Amino acid sequence: MTIDAPVRPQAPPATPEAPATSGRPGPFGKAIPRREDLRLAAGDGRYLDDLGHEALAAAFLRSPHAHARIIDIDITDALGVDGLVAIYTYEDLDGRVAEPLPLLIPHPALHAPRTNYPLANGVVNHVGEAVAMVVATDRYIAEDAVERIRVQWEPLPAVVGLPAAFAAEHAVHPDVPDNVAAHMVQSVGEAHAAIDAAPYTMELALHVERSASMPLEGKGVYARWDADDRSLRMYSSTQTSTSVRFAIAAKLGIPVDRVEVVTPDVGGGFGVKIMHPWPEEVLVPWAAIRLGREVKWVEDRREHFISSAHERAQEHTVRVGFDADGRILGLDVRFLHDNGAYTPYGIIVPIISSTQLLGPYKLGSYRVEFHSLYTNTVLVTPYRGAGRAHGCFVMERVMDAIADHRGLDRAVVRERNMIQPDEMPYDQGLIFQDGRPLIYDTGDFPASLHKALALVDWSGFAAVRDAARAEGRSVGIGLATYVEGTGVGPYEGAHVRVETSGDVVVATGLTTQGQGHETVFAQIAAQELGVPIERVTVTTGDTRRFKYGVGTFASRSAVMSGNAVAAAARKVRAKALRLAAAALAADESELELADGEIVVRGFSSSDGLPGPRIALATVAVLANPLRYAFDEEAQRATQFSGQMGATPAGDGPPVAEGEEPGLEATGWYSPIRSTFANGVHACVVETDPETAEIKVLRYCVVHDCGTIINPMIVEGQVHGGVAQGVGGALYERIVYDESGQLVNASFMDFLMPYASEVPRVETDHLTSPSPLNPLGVKGVGEAGIIPGHAVIASAVEDAEGFRIDRMPISPSELWELRRRHAAGEVPSLRRASSLQPGSSLREEPA
Amino acid sequence: MSEPTHEVKLTVNGVPHSVSVPARRLLSDCLRHDVGLTGTHVGCEHGVCGACTVLLDGEPVRSCLLFAVTVDGQSVTTMEGCRSAEGGLGPVQRAFMECHGLQCGFCTPGFVTTITAFLRDNSDPTEEEAREAIGGNLCRCTGYQNIVASVLRAAEILREGAVE
Ligand code: FES
Ligand code: FES
């Protein structure tokens, strides 16, 4: 199979349909301020720890060892703590709570999956693994008791770092002696043969270190058990309340209809909160049921570092074959992925890496092989960018290396390898993270590139460099492109109801961690229903309001729930028109819905002609035929009012055949596969000649996320992503020592960027609507972060004149590279010699 | 034996409160759980993120680094105290909404209190001064650009208010 031409027939005949009311004034597509800010900006948000002030507090004893056997747990001392309510260890767990936590995403290539127990069962596999749970009257007291629990440990050899894991001198899990959890190969064409036959070949070793999502609010769980009603309500700071509900119901053996999971306001997620159920999500409700008391656990920062998931660590070995023009003929990537101690989230991250690595390029042939390895460290699950950041780093480093090898402009090499717009949709011939073919739907990659080159003034940079040189300063320019699979299935749904007041109430299953869903989903509903946005309220992540859904991850919310809200609103709109037509004795096709009322076309208030009309609120009243009125408005829907329902003449049933009472509907969106956004980042850095400090002087982003619902929110997503990308490239890393201690588990030592480190972001965009969904939208949540490593490496390399092949890069690491470069241990870039004052970067000649 | 407690008198957002707390009770916990004002957030409890910033007698402090007993008799302004007199968004909070200066909103209280104090002393900051003023607070969502814009917009709103 070759990837030169798409081989799969294109399934969907779906044409992008603009919003039903597009062309009319409405909030869709506008930069309107966020509706949730009235609450959040006033300090009136309700985050997990703002709830349950009377609840008992839980705290956990966590392993101080990376790998150890538990010989004995002695709680005698702790029992004397005043205010102690309960202490639980593994021995106390019962039923399915005593079983390992679920394997969320099984995959045939994950041949040795391992998941942890809620509390360690005889052995711990990373520092921070929960060993005992203490419940007390408050958190201070619970921690007092934790400190007094004595554990006798038998330390075991710790496996830390990919080389050690691969060498497998010691095993994390004794029944997985080679530490290999998964091994997977995907290929398109004959990459090895193509590389061997290519005019030029190169090998690169490219590494990315561990980092973490690090939301400002940690996780938290609060559970209330109603013993009389035999029902559980649980609040969790999660990215998926619907899935937590099913998982907890199954674990605790409670019928799922007796479990409600509510996600309150959430202080950021970035991936780590899509993992579930965390041990605490099982244990807190379990304890609440056992004790018959409300129980709450709020993660502190150290706990978050040592027990919540990390990401990013991968080591790649790349072989590439290319021709004199810089066209890639074959690419072979082998990489090791550090999955930590357990694999509950499967191998999603390395799968995304291996597929999204291809970016906007068509390669002659491609082979990717990875080993996902156990280490005695915290488990690894997606962090914003999830595998894409590393994939992008690899591909873009290869592009820069080829350009340097051939003495070509880095932009030219990229463009020569790009998929052209007339080749869309383009099938990369691989299977993506949703189990579906990796087919790019739309996008104009060369146009994105050219926009970025213009924005950063690529061709004018030689003069900038010369000017800097003249002042004794060293600057460099970098470039990186990406394609981002967004809106992965399987589905989301939404419910839209028009109240008898005319207010519109929207609910969807997925959750919100700052993305502005209350605003963008309201924009969609308001547009579809022709009501002012002020009349629309949106609830997310509350299973009392919407039970089915998947969750918020992979830049999917606008695509998935956005289209589900549109689908539901369109059904409501159709029903409103049907009922109004009957009430007004008009034909549906003559009616239009605007400003909260239904009028005969040509007779709207703006036309200045008073004509037959009916308020949406009245339609909502009539939609629910009543026997008993509850207020004056409702009297219109009662039996003797003469107005009831769609059958004013009284010759049919009050609720017509095929209709349901109420002006409401549920809509669903389930895509056949992901939709692909793309973009290009370019940045300028300055490297200090003495201190090797790296400063980002300019950062430009061009992105294409299809139809935009709210440009202000899209822009905000990009800014935030860039900040995390810059942080990941220059400052942040999770550091384990060889014994498996996490040595920088605080904000003092894990360096998230402050305002002084984050550059101002200059943006531009293209709009290539997706044909895969009615709104034409694509996701944008990860657009800002994906090329972070790649673009900054590209710029630092350009400033320094030698190759950068691992990220993040600190001043001391750059300083060391300079020393080794001066000593002849690190070769110069071929173009470095030409980068003298007056030379033109445009040519980047060899 | 139960832990001894101490009477602490605080004026929070102009309202006198008296709470009985153990000596080790953090001011952040006291404000959130004893006084019941959850607008103050806790992101690290080790003095680095700034989410817990409140104004103590008008000056920004990290409430996670103070024990409630050590501020007995002092007055505290929290996020709730930065609202308008009518209880809606105050000038700095309004600027955050207008400029999209918040996403998840978890860091926002620390920024709003810090900026409130900053603008009291510098009513017409440059962009650089605005960036500098928020340099001790962490935000994981916004990339700060819109927070810098919020500082400048808040200054503008406050100046307009002063003229009226
Ligand atoms: S919570 Fe006080 S500085 Fe972070
Ligand atoms: S808005 Fe989420 S941390 Fe700042």
Side-chain angles (χ1 to χ4, degrees):
Chain A
M1 187 163 61
T2 161
I3 57 165
D4 278 329
V7 290
R8 259 170 263 263
Q10 293 311 298
T15 40
E17 197 185 321
T21 44
S22 76
R24 283 229 194 91
F28 190 93
K30 302 227 170 82
I32 58 169
R34 301 198 320 169
R35 307 188 27 79
E36 46 272 77
D37 290 353
L38 291 169
R39 187 175 81 248
L40 300 182
D44 232 351
R46 287 294 176 271
Y47 301 83
L48 194 283
D49 192 34
D50 302 342
L51 311 170
H53 294 286
E54 302 307 319
L56 298 174
F60 288 84
L61 171 71
R62 297 182 185 277
S63 170
H65 295 285
H67 199 188
R69 209 165 278 131
I70 299 169
I71 305 299
D72 182 54
I73 303 178
D74 179 2
I75 61 167
T76 324
D77 259 9
L79 294 176
V81 173
D82 196 43
L84 175 73
V85 175
I87 299 178
Y88 303 112
T89 64
Y90 178 78
E91 307 303 323
D92 300 301
L93 305 184
D94 53 13
R96 293 190 63 188
V97 175
E99 296 173 7
L101 292 166
L103 171 61
L104 292 173
I105 312 178
H107 190 286
L110 177 59
H111 59 267
R114 294 293 177 273
T115 61
N116 48 322
Y117 293 89
L119 293 172
N121 178 13
V123 58
V124 289
N125 282 309
H126 66 83
V127 168
E129 187 161 353
V131 174
M133 178 191 196
V134 171
V135 182
T137 49
D138 85 16
R139 176 65 177 250
Y140 293 70
I141 291 166
E143 290 186 15
D144 288 346
V146 165
E147 274 174 24
R148 295 187 187 199
I149 299 174
R150 305 272 166 261
V151 182
Q152 209 185 320
W153 304 96
E154 179 195 330
L156 299 168
V159 180
V160 180
L162 283 166
F166 198 62
E169 194 188 323
H170 301 290
V172 175
H173 303 285
D175 52 349
V176 189
D178 61 359
N179 290 320
V180 178
H183 174 229
M184 186 171 176
V185 180
Q186 287 206 71
S187 59
V188 185
E190 294 297 329
H192 289 163
I195 295 166
D196 291 341
Y200 304 98
T201 60
M202 234 178 354
E203 263 193 55
L204 293 98
L206 298 163
H207 297 177
V208 177
E209 289 186 46
R210 209 176 243 248
S211 188
S213 303
M214 213 49 67
L216 212 53
E217 180 205 35
K219 308 200 303 295
V221 185
Y222 161 46
R224 318 180 349 186
W225 170 248
D226 184 331
D228 299 326
D229 191 50
R230 301 202 61 73
S231 65
L232 175 73
R233 176 166 331 145
M234 164 175 164
Y235 296 81
S236 183
S237 184
T238 178
Q239 290 174 227
T240 172
S241 39
T242 47
S243 302
V244 167
R245 175 170 171 258
F246 285 116
I248 296 310
K251 269 284 169 206
L252 301 182
I254 308 172
V256 75
D257 285 335
R258 297 269 134 194
V259 179
E260 297 166 342
V261 177
V262 183
T263 306
D265 289 320
V266 173
F270 313 113
V272 65
K273 295 177 184 176
I274 191 60
M275 177 47 216
H276 69 281
W278 290 97
E280 300 86 358
E281 284 178 317
V282 174
L283 294 171
V284 169
W286 175 80
I289 293 171
R290 274 178 89 103
L291 298 169
R293 307 272 303 271
E294 297 186 4
V295 179
K296 181 167 81 167
W297 166 76
V298 177
E299 188 177 57
D300 70 25
R301 187 50 56 185
R302 180 167 167 81
E303 285 186 290
H304 188 79
F305 270 100
I306 64 173
S307 67
S308 285
H310 303 158
E311 213 238 85
R312 293 291 195 263
Q314 279 181 188
E315 302 193 349
H316 314 78
T317 310
V318 180
R319 265 186 87 222
V320 60
F322 49 100
D323 67 17
D325 294 333
R327 276 197 190 81
I328 293 180
L329 303 171
L331 180 69
D332 177 40
V333 178
R334 281 166 296 134
F335 69 92
L336 304 179
H337 171 82
D338 179 351
N339 59 227
Y342 303 106
T343 53
Y345 210 78
I347 48 172
I348 287 299
V349 174
I351 290 178
I352 298 176
S353 265
S354 49
T355 47
Q356 295 262 270
L357 186 144
L358 294 171
Y361 308 115
K362 54 178 170 190
L363 310 185
S365 55
Y366 174 55
R367 181 180 189 277
V368 60
E369 171 176 10
F370 69 78
H371 289 87
S372 188
L373 301 173
Y374 286 113
T375 57
N376 288 112
T377 61
V378 174
L379 54 90
V380 164
T381 68
Y383 158 38
R384 193 181 202 175
R388 300 169 184 88
H390 343 18
C392 174
F393 175 69
V394 169
M395 190 74 245
E396 296 298 301
R397 295 282 66 217
V398 168
M399 286 293 164
D400 280 358
I402 291 174
D404 193 59
H405 186 283
R406 299 308 313 135
L408 294 165
D409 184 294
R410 287 170 286 167
V412 168
V413 170
R414 284 174 169 80
E415 183 161 23
R416 284 183 184 160
N417 282 287
M418 275 180 170
I419 297 158
Q420 298 302 307
D422 61 6
E423 294 174 283
M424 291 290 177
Y426 188 86
D427 187 342
Q428 286 282 24
L430 301 174
I431 299 299
F432 191 43
Q433 64 147 326
D434 52 2
R436 300 296 173 102
L438 183 70
I439 301 174
Y440 298 167
D441 45 349
T442 52
D444 185 339
F445 304 150
S448 292
L449 176 65
H450 285 286
K451 247 186 201 291
L453 296 177
L455 188 60
V456 76
D457 190 16
W458 182 259
S459 55
F461 187 71
V464 174
R465 183 198 304 278
D466 291 348
R469 280 250 170 85
E471 297 170 7
R473 296 164 51 225
S474 138
V475 295
I477 191 167
L479 189 63
T481 73
Y482 70 93
V483 167
E484 179 195 3
T486 74
V488 301
Y491 75 91
E492 288 295 334
H495 186 257
V496 172
R497 183 176 72 248
V498 181
E499 304 268 18
T500 53
S501 61
D503 288 340
V504 177
V505 179
V506 178
T508 186
L510 58 66
T511 60
T512 306
Q513 307 84 42
Q515 299 92 337
H517 293 155
E518 286 178 51
T519 305
V520 291
F521 298 152
Q523 285 178 270
I524 294 168
Q527 184 83 29
E528 298 290 343
L529 291 172
V531 298
I533 193 166
E534 294 71 31
R535 306 297 301 261
V536 184
T537 54
V538 175
T539 302
T540 62
D542 183 340
T543 67
R544 295 172 300 181
R545 301 286 310 283
F546 203 88
K547 288 182 172 30
Y548 288 96
V550 183
T552 296
F553 57 94
S555 306
R556 71 191 293 277
S557 302
V559 180
M560 304 301 302
S561 279
N563 280 289
V565 169
R570 285 172 191 189
K571 283 193 196 170
V572 169
R573 176 188 176 82
K575 181 169 187 180
L577 292 175
R578 261 195 324 271
L579 295 175
L584 297 172
D587 193 83
E588 260 177 71
S589 63
E590 302 172 341
L591 299 178
E592 66 180 7
L593 216 174
D595 300 330
E597 57 179 21
I598 295 162
V599 295
V600 176
R601 193 167 288 121
F603 289 90
S604 75
S605 357
S606 52
D607 296 317
L609 298 170
R613 65 189 57 239
I614 185 167
L616 196 58
T618 309
V619 179
V621 172
L622 300 182
N624 182 24
L626 292 174
R627 184 171 176 87
Y628 312 114
F630 49 86
D631 62 15
E632 214 170 300
E633 191 63 17
Q635 289 177 5
R636 304 169 74 160
T638 53
Q639 289 162 290
F640 303 103
S641 68
Q643 278 194 4
M644 193 168 63
T647 54
D651 55 0
V655 177
E657 188 89 30
E659 290 285 9
E660 288 174 7
L663 187 48
E664 61 184 66
T666 301
W668 305 96
Y669 175 65
S670 181
I672 57 158
R673 56 175 178 267
S674 301
T675 171
F676 291 82
N678 76 88
V680 180
H681 291 200
C683 76
V684 176
V685 303
E686 173 163 1
T687 55
D688 189 293
E690 314 249 297
T691 64
E693 201 183 321
I694 303 162
K695 183 149 181 68
V696 183
L697 300 180
R698 288 186 65 202
Y699 201 106
C700 300
V701 175
V702 168
H703 66 90
D704 182 346
C705 62
T707 307
I708 289 176
I709 305 167
N710 184 325
M712 179 192 81
I713 287 175
V714 165
E715 195 88 351
Q717 287 292 312
V718 171
H719 290 178
V722 168
Q724 282 176 318
V726 169
L730 296 177
Y731 311 109
E732 297 164 14
R733 75 183 82 203
I734 294 276
V735 184
Y736 279 100
D737 68 14
E738 61 288 353
S739 66
Q741 292 297 327
L742 208 175
V743 299
N744 63 339
S746 87
F747 282 170
M748 230 99 70
D749 306 302
F750 178 82
L751 305 176
M752 298 205 302
Y754 286 102
S756 43
E757 281 79 46
V758 179
R760 206 171 70 77
V761 185
E762 303 164 55
T763 53
D764 196 355
H765 72 271
L766 288 81
T767 304
S768 308
S770 173
L772 301 180
N773 66 74
L775 295 176
V777 295
K778 300 179 176 184
V780 73
E782 294 162 288
I785 196 171
I786 295 169
H789 292 313
V791 75
I792 289 178
S794 178
V796 172
E797 170 170 299
D798 187 48
E800 295 290 318
F802 49 79
R803 189 177 292 156
I804 303 296
D805 54 15
R806 65 184 307 145
M807 293 301 262
I809 184 163
S810 67
S812 49
E813 283 160 328
L814 180 57
W815 194 90
E816 176 63 13
L817 278 174
R818 281 180 181 171
R819 190 195 62 73
R820 291 179 50 213
H821 177 244
E825 296 164 24
V826 171
S828 294
L829 293 180
R830 295 189 181 197
R831 71 171 183 273
S833 55
S834 72
L835 295 177
Q836 300 305 326
S839 72
S840 160
L841 189 74
R842 188 71 201 155
E843 298 304 321
E844 294 191 343
Chain B
M1 197 187 69
S2 72
E3 205 171 348
T5 59
H6 306 264
E7 285 299 307
V8 176
K9 289 195 193 322
L10 286 173
T11 303
V12 186
N13 304 327
V15 179
H17 287 270
S18 173
V19 291
S20 174
V21 293
R24 60 175 171 171
R25 188 89 166 150
L26 296 177
L27 178 59
S28 49
D29 283 337
C30 172
L31 290 169
R32 291 175 43 74
H33 301 302
D34 302 324
V35 179
L37 294 175
T38 54
T40 299
H41 294 167
V42 173
C44 69
E45 270 183 328
H46 49 251
V48 181
C49 74
C52 66
T53 306
V54 298
L55 306 183
L56 187 63
D57 291 336
E59 292 309 315
V61 294
R62 312 230 141 163
S63 61
C64 74
L65 293 183
L66 290 169
F67 294 120
V69 289
T70 63
V71 302
D72 185 29
Q74 291 185 267
S75 86
V76 177
T77 307
T78 68
M79 180 68 160
E80 288 89 346
C82 298
R83 293 180 191 155
S84 72
E86 299 75 42
L89 296 181
V92 180
Q93 296 168 334
R94 208 179 100 205
F96 267 74
M97 178 165 177
E98 286 178 15
C99 300
H100 192 26
L102 69 156
Q103 290 183 25
C104 78
F106 203 75
C107 67
T108 315
F111 280 95
V112 167
T113 49
T114 302
I115 293 165
T116 299
F118 168 68
L119 293 178
R120 195 186 51 211
D121 303 331
N122 184 350
S123 61
D124 193 6
T126 63
E127 184 174 334
E128 216 165 301
E129 289 167 339
R131 201 171 264 273
E132 170 99 31
I134 58 163
N137 289 60
L138 283 174
C139 172
R140 192 60 163 165
C141 297
T142 64
Y144 304 103
Q145 193 161 328
N146 290 341
I147 298 182
V148 173
S150 304
V151 177
L152 300 176
R153 175 68 189 128
E156 208 172 84
I157 294 173
L158 284 164
R159 286 197 307 273
E160 284 162 9
V163 173
E164 272 160 27

